[in-house]
Amino acid sequence: MGESKIVSAFKELAQHPAPTGARVIGDGSDGFLSVYSEWMQRDLQRAENARFSRSQVLQMNPEYGPVTVAQTASYDIATEEWKRVSPSGVHTAILRKVNPKPAKEAKPSQFIEIWSDSRKICNIDLKALDKHGTVYSDDNHFGTFEWSHGESHLLYVAEKKQPKHASYFDQKYDDTASSGEDGNAEPKDVVIKGESSAYRQDWGEGLTTKCEPVLCILDIESLSISVLENVPNHVSPAQAIWTPDDAGVVFVGWWNNPWKLGLLYCTIRRSALYHLDFQSGTCSIIGKDDQSVRTPRFSPDRSKLAWLENTASGPHHRSMRLMTFNWVTKKYSNVIDIVKKAQGADFPGIYPAYLGLPAQCWCSDSKRVVFHTLWRSKKVLLYADVDTHKIKQLSNDDFGSWTLLAIQNDWMVVACSSPDKPDILRLGKLLPPGGEANINWVSLDPDQAPSSLTWEIRTFHPTEENRSEEFPDLDYEGILLLPKPNAEGEEEADEAKTAKKPPLIVWPHGGPHGCFSAGWNIMAAGFIKLGYAVLYVNYRGSAGYGDDMVFSLLGNCGRFDVLDMQHCVAELMREGTVDKSKIVCFGGSHGGFVAAHLSGQFPDVYKAVMCRNPVTNIASMLGGSDIPDWSYVEAGYSDYSHKQVSTPEQLGKMLTDSPITLADHMRAPTMIVLGADDLRVPPQQGRELYKALKARNVPTRLYVYAENSHPLSKVDCEAEVFVNTCKWFNEHLQSNDI
């Protein structure tokens, strides 16, 4: 397999865009409906993600349902950081990023545009008003951009304005005021001297531009901006929404005292819901203050507030409960509780894949909340009835992954994909309770070409010697992706097709409390296109199976996760499904931890390994990560506090659990890829493994990508990593015949 074939495969797959948002316009009562959607696509030539939108007009057909009758050309929205249509649909607000002119200015400017009747009625230069710093984009943790119900104000979150700083010796800001020709002193700008290098802690990996968020309101009529006061100092405001009467706001307050723990991918950070009343100036807590809460959403009739919450400690991804608060009666309701144990196909609890409730999630009757969640190895669409506390599934088996993008007037827009099918949009009408099975899901995209892979979900049970005493009844799953015979169109004899078995890429997920869902993945599709089989494994510890599954791994990292992976691989080897002489491993973060463990514990099985930002030494990760609590929790010490100082026993357990201790047993050629700006797993972790393998003459290659953090997700980095990974595997499998 040559380099050009690998590059061509990635180029082809990069042409598939992914939907990022949608909006439904109208209710279909006049015979028509419009769907506006936003998309992202890799642009390999410009090394960036292109963002564009499209609009479709659908006509109601009594026999077939909505049918697309018109579609606009896609247009670029790369400069739009937020776009919000007012409740009446008359006005549109856009937060636009404008690159500086001349280009040598440090940062782009931000403007808020207000559009009405197909024209721009005002344009506000936020830098000129100088009330705050950068407005936060849609980061799923802090950002908000919301019209008031009366459509006279906009609510958003921005970085707090910082004072000017100067050196003690900067003559421009000396203590002597200059005098004009008339002899009057001209006042100097107020500056703070000698403090420009004072530490300002941000919110960690992926949120490094977020330090001190403030709530801001733009008055559309006066074009004035107010920065809200009376927010408690010990919390950072986020995810704000208007109260039903526009007389206040509800927001999430993330605890920032005594110092901030990394927030990204961590659904257990302490926070509370707050109600800031404008008239009284009071800021009161809604619910409890010892939980982790997120994504407050008011019902269409404005009577109920829904949100997700769970315990503010322990493993970083766990089941959440759906809560509601009746704004009129002031009563709380635990609609869907946390699920500890789920057997077989039982509902495993709410796992919203690190995020929360979609921005639009209520149906028009204000009684049902619609959302997507992990359910074992699939991502499904559900609704919860807030009165009966019942769950109903809305998705079917057409796809392995369903993501709700919008629901308006009970019309739902969802993104659907499977390992063999890139994302498409589907539209369906939510029917009254009892009609869930009769939803007519209509595709808004053309049928796709036949895929080059097949996939299936398999269930596995731990071996007897590897069974947990505390959680003995757990099972886990693998998702096996296989290339279809003759997928590339080669002319082969039937016997050759049957006899030829694909090499296998074993892929553990990160977290360790992540989860593979049966959705589209460009890397996996690329591996399959090049002739490999891929095995995802949701080992014990994975989300989406009930909290017993999550907690079973604590204190057992390097054991249950690794042995579950190997058990799945051994089953495939026993069946003869794959070429057992050509098995490699590919994993990132905790998946890299597992990959390194597999290399050390089973050196005769794995012929090559690729680790992306791997955890290699839990003990040495403590001081450099934005989530030091992770090391304690995963090693089995759940009583973490900000005052924590490691004991010799704790450090010993962390080291014992780590794959670096197996360096003497590792023989597989190992490629390591690091993000230079990774705050989650410090790059020193990968370098530590690299040095250990080099000292033992194990073939090793290290790549460090500048301006990339933990996900290694910049377009040029992702593409290059894919090509280099395939070349590495091919070289050490000698698989030119794949």
Side-chain angles (χ1 to χ4, degrees):
M1 183 195 307
E3 178 182 303
S4 61
K5 184 176 181 181
I6 302 171
V7 171
S8 296
F10 195 86
K11 279 184 177 180
E12 178 183 336
L13 295 170
Q15 294 177 12
H16 294 293
T20 58
R23 185 172 70 253
V24 180
I25 304 165
D27 60 7
S29 59
D30 61 354
F32 292 92
L33 197 69
S34 295
V35 174
Y36 168 87
S37 56
E38 296 183 352
W39 300 73
M40 183 176 291
Q41 182 177 342
R42 298 166 177 85
D43 187 329
L44 297 176
Q45 282 65 47
R46 294 171 60 176
E48 63 183 21
N49 283 308
R51 295 177 55 238
F52 62 91
S53 67
R54 75 181 193 202
S55 294
Q56 294 165 273
V57 178
L58 298 100
Q59 186 173 17
M60 300 296 107
N61 183 302
E63 183 176 356
Y64 302 107
V67 177
T68 300
V69 294
Q71 179 171 317
T72 64
S74 301
Y75 69 93
D76 189 282
I77 57 170
T79 61
E80 295 179 6
E81 296 188 284
W82 284 100
K83 185 173 186 177
R84 282 289 184 265
V85 177
S86 65
S88 68
V90 173
H91 308 294
T92 300
I94 296 174
L95 176 67
R96 192 177 301 279
K97 177 179 65 175
V98 179
N99 290 323
K101 295 179 181 180
K104 60 184 177 183
E105 286 189 27
K107 293 182 180 180
S109 298
Q110 289 181 309
F111 293 80
I112 293 180
E113 304 171 358
I114 306 298
W115 293 75
S116 185
D117 297 326
S118 300
R119 62 190 179 94
K120 189 192 296 185
I121 61 175
C122 66
N123 193 11
I124 301 99
D125 184 346
L126 298 178
K127 186 176 181 180
L129 293 181
D130 197 27
K131 291 290 186 178
H132 51 69
T134 302
V135 177
Y136 290 2
S137 60
D138 188 3
D139 57 20
N140 295 313
H141 292 85
F142 287 96
T144 193
F145 198 66
E146 297 294 327
W147 282 95
S148 62
H149 302 293
E151 304 189 0
S152 59
H153 294 80
L154 273 172
L155 170 67
Y156 58 91
V157 180
E159 186 68 15
K160 183 179 180 179
K161 181 182 177 181
Q162 296 298 306
K164 292 183 178 179
H165 292 275
S167 165
Y168 290 117
F169 308 101
D170 191 336
Q171 293 182 346
K172 182 179 179 181
Y173 297 107
D174 61 22
D175 294 330
T176 305
S178 62
S179 297
E181 292 181 0
D182 57 2
N184 294 324
E186 296 178 355
K188 294 286 186 179
D189 292 332
V190 176
V191 299
I192 296 178
K193 295 183 178 181
E195 294 292 319
S196 61
S197 297
Y199 177 57
R200 293 179 67 227
Q201 190 193 7
D202 55 50
W203 276 97
E205 172 67 30
L207 299 169
T208 55
T209 60
K210 278 76 174 176
C211 296
E212 296 181 75
V214 291
L215 300 176
C216 305
I217 293 179
L218 170 66
D219 187 316
I220 304 299
E221 296 178 2
S222 67
L223 303 184
S224 61
I225 293 174
S226 303
V227 177
L228 299 185
E229 299 179 347
N230 300 319
V231 174
N233 291 329
H234 68 277
V235 300
S236 295
Q239 303 178 11
I241 57 175
W242 294 93
T243 56
D245 56 2
D246 286 344
V249 296
V250 171
F251 65 91
V252 172
W254 299 109
W255 250 247
N256 57 38
N257 188 46
W259 43 269
K260 306 176 182 108
L261 287 163
L263 193 57
L264 188 68
Y265 312 131
C266 303
T267 62
I268 48 82
R269 294 297 178 228
R270 187 179 178 185
S271 55
L273 281 185
Y274 287 86
H275 172 210
L276 177 58
D277 183 80
F278 297 156
Q279 184 174 2
S280 66
T282 58
C283 192
S284 55
I285 290 178
I286 299 173
K288 301 177 181 179
D289 69 353
D290 61 348
Q291 299 290 296
S292 178
V293 305
R294 59 187 57 226
T295 54
R297 307 286 188 242
F298 272 109
S299 59
D301 66 4
R302 307 183 198 174
S303 68
K304 304 180 189 75
L305 179 67
W307 69 91
L308 296 179
E309 71 174 32
N310 60 11
T311 304
S313 63
H316 284 182
H317 194 199
R318 56 194 296 186
S319 176
M320 308 190 84
R321 62 176 65 90
L322 174 63
M323 299 291 298
T324 58
F325 174 67
N326 191 299
W327 202 254
V328 179
T329 65
K330 309 302 180 186
K331 292 184 177 179
Y332 295 90
S333 178
N334 182 352
V335 179
I336 304 297
D337 205 353
I338 288 170
V339 174
K340 291 192 63 180
K341 186 174 183 179
Q343 292 283 15
D346 292 348
F347 173 62
I350 300 175
Y351 296 88
Y354 299 115
L355 302 177
L357 295 174
Q360 295 175 309
C361 61
W362 284 90
C363 66
S364 60
D365 61 14
S366 294
K367 295 181 179 180
R368 291 174 289 172
V369 178
V370 183
F371 56 93
H372 49 261
T373 181
L374 297 169
W375 191 320
R376 295 177 71 86
S377 292
K378 290 187 175 183
K379 186 161 65 168
V380 301
L381 189 67
L382 308 173
Y383 80 66
D385 189 309
V386 299
D387 292 334
T388 65
H389 298 198
K390 299 294 185 182
I391 285 281
K392 295 291 184 181
Q393 186 165 334
L394 303 175
S395 52
N396 55 39
D397 291 332
D398 292 349
F399 295 87
S401 175
W402 294 62
T403 301
L404 178 68
L405 299 179
I407 177 171
Q408 189 79 25
N409 299 314
D410 291 341
W411 286 101
M412 299 174 288
V413 181
V414 295
C416 296
S417 73
S418 293
D420 59 337
K421 299 174 185 175
D423 285 284
I424 65 166
L425 291 187
R426 288 184 126 190
L427 177 72
K429 181 70 177 288
L430 180 62
L431 302 175
E436 298 81 19
N438 299 319
I439 296 176
N440 178 25
W441 290 106
V442 176
S443 175
L444 302 183
D445 293 288
D447 292 337
Q448 299 166 355
S451 171
S452 60
L453 69 90
T454 61
W455 64 278
E456 63 175 314
I457 297 175
R458 295 191 178 190
T459 301
F460 297 89
H461 299 270
T463 59
E464 191 63 37
E465 63 274 14
N466 189 28
R467 199 177 299 275
S468 168
E469 293 183 6
E470 186 177 0
F471 306 101
D473 300 325
L474 298 176
D475 60 19
Y476 57 97
E477 291 179 320
I479 306 175
L480 178 62
L481 285 57
L482 291 170
K484 287 182 178 177
N486 207 20
E488 292 294 319
E490 302 95 339
E491 294 297 330
E492 296 184 70
D494 290 340
E495 315 84 63
K497 293 180 188 178
T498 304
K500 189 175 180 181
K501 298 175 182 178
L504 175 66
I505 296 177
V506 179
W507 192 338
H509 62 67
H513 310 295
C515 178
F516 284 119
S517 61
W520 171 259
N521 182 292
I522 187 173
M523 288 271 192
F527 292 146
I528 295 292
K529 193 171 184 62
L530 296 171
Y532 289 92
V534 173
L535 175 66
Y536 302 135
V537 178
N538 288 323
Y539 48 77
R540 279 173 292 174
S542 302
Y545 293 77
D547 266 7
D548 280 0
M549 180 78 150
V550 171
F551 280 80
S552 69
L553 186 60
L554 305 187
N556 293 299
C557 288
R559 182 186 166 204
F560 287 173
D561 44 3
V562 176
L563 297 180
D564 287 354
M565 295 290 305
Q566 185 58 28
H567 178 53
C568 296
V569 173
E571 284 295 300
L572 296 185
M573 294 170 66
R574 182 185 61 79
E575 295 171 4
T577 306
V578 297
D579 187 339
K580 63 182 180 181
S581 69
K582 294 183 177 180
I583 297 178
V584 297
C585 197
F586 173 90
S589 193
H590 188 85
F593 170 97
V594 174
H597 257 295
L598 288 168
S599 178
Q601 293 189 37
F602 303 97
D604 295 329
V605 174
Y606 297 92
K607 308 308 179 187
V609 172
M610 190 282 202
C611 296
R612 304 164 65 248
N613 286 323
V615 176
T616 63
N617 186 335
I618 300 176
S620 67
M621 197 175 99
L622 270 173
S625 174
D626 66 332
I627 53 167
D629 59 315
W630 181 91
S631 293
Y632 292 97
V633 171
E634 298 307 329
Y637 303 103
S638 59
D639 54 347
Y640 175 82
S641 78
H642 284 78
K643 299 178 182 179
Q644 194 88 28
V645 176
S646 306
T647 66
E649 175 195 349
Q650 291 170 334
L651 292 173
K653 177 65 162 64
M654 294 175 192
L655 182 60
T656 301
D657 291 347
S658 300
I660 195 68
T661 60
L662 301 174
D664 283 339
H665 302 282
M666 297 180 186
R667 299 198 300 270
T670 302
M671 171 179 159
I672 302 170
V673 179
L674 307 176
D677 298 336
D678 191 348
L679 299 179
R680 182 56 45 90
V681 179
Q684 293 89 328
Q685 290 282 299
R687 291 193 182 100
E688 189 173 347
L689 179 61
Y690 171 75
K691 292 175 181 177
L693 295 179
K694 290 287 285 185
R696 290 160 175 80
N697 296 316
V698 176
T700 310
R701 187 170 297 165
L702 174 65
Y703 295 87
V704 182
Y705 286 89
E707 299 181 359
N708 273 267
S709 55
H710 194 57
L712 292 163
S713 57
K714 289 201 170 185
V715 171
D716 52 346
C717 169
E718 178 192 44
E720 186 171 301
V721 167
F722 174 80
V723 175
N724 284 337
T725 299
C726 293
K727 291 176 66 177
W728 185 257
F729 288 162
N730 294 344
E731 175 187 351
H732 296 288
L733 292 179
Q734 298 179 346
S735 52
N736 293 324
D737 58 334
I738 292 177

